[in-house]
Amino acid sequence: MSDSGSPRVTRLLPDAVHQALKPGTAVVRLETTHDRRSVLDGAWWPRSRDIAAELPALIAALAECLGPVMRVGLDAGAWEGLPTRLVIDDRVVHIDSFPVGDDTVLITRGEQDLFSLLVVPPHATPDAARAAMAEAVRAGNATQAEQILIDTGAW
């Protein structure tokens, strides 16, 4: 039974998430609106399909903006050597295999706060990657990840 008088928990992205990340960190953008009504919450452009090499930088970048990341959901067919967990910054991050396709990654902070990120293919040109990432974080975007990649030529 829920208590209708309890305050509603709002899970907003911090306004500062658009700030540039340090060189050597993951190329990631997050939507900065307060309503999170878009299909995607952000975008990630990994340099390869080697998840053990790519995921630590993504998790570190997201942890700075969102707090601790508990789980990552990826399509096992899209990544090389998908482990069940990784230790990143002295925290265990559980890796789940989901049939989300190679264009999406699911990030869970806390117990249930889910973020869906567009994954730009590593081979995408910088211009196509920037266009895809910009579309993914556009407020109110209703376009699915695969279509964004097709429309921007990032696929």
Side-chain angles (χ1 to χ4, degrees):
M1 184 168 138
S2 67
D3 179 8
S4 60
S6 63
R8 183 172 167 243
V9 176
T10 307
R11 293 179 174 92
L12 302 176
L13 295 175
D15 289 331
V17 296
H18 66 280
Q19 295 173 350
L21 298 171
K22 296 174 233 151
T25 61
V27 179
V28 63
R29 289 185 67 177
L30 297 174
E31 180 182 17
T32 58
T33 62
H34 290 278
D35 60 16
R36 289 185 66 196
R37 292 185 186 174
S38 298
V39 171
L40 298 162
D41 298 299
W44 174 41
W45 187 19
R47 293 171 180 86
S48 74
R49 288 289 180 181
D50 179 355
I51 199 63
E54 300 296 333
L55 198 56
L58 174 65
I59 298 302
L62 291 175
E64 284 185 31
C65 301
L66 304 175
V69 172
M70 308 297 285
R71 305 188 90 75
V72 176
L74 299 162
D75 194 319
W79 298 93
E80 298 168 9
L82 192 66
T84 58
R85 66 178 177 251
L86 289 173
V87 177
I88 302 170
D89 294 332
D90 296 325
R91 295 182 78 78
V92 174
V93 178
H94 297 276
I95 313 297
D96 300 317
S97 178
F98 286 108
V100 293
D102 62 351
D103 55 20
T104 306
V105 62
L106 304 174
I107 303 293
T108 306
R109 73 172 178 185
E111 293 299 316
Q112 297 178 348
D113 196 10
L114 183 69
F115 293 84
S116 180
L117 305 180
L118 166 81
V119 178
V120 177
H123 66 271
T125 66
D127 287 341
R130 278 192 291 275
M133 294 176 87
E135 182 61 19
V137 300
R138 185 176 52 82
N141 174 45
T143 308
Q144 297 293 324
E146 180 180 22
Q147 192 62 50
I148 290 173
L149 296 175
I150 292 168
D151 292 348
T152 59
W155 198 269

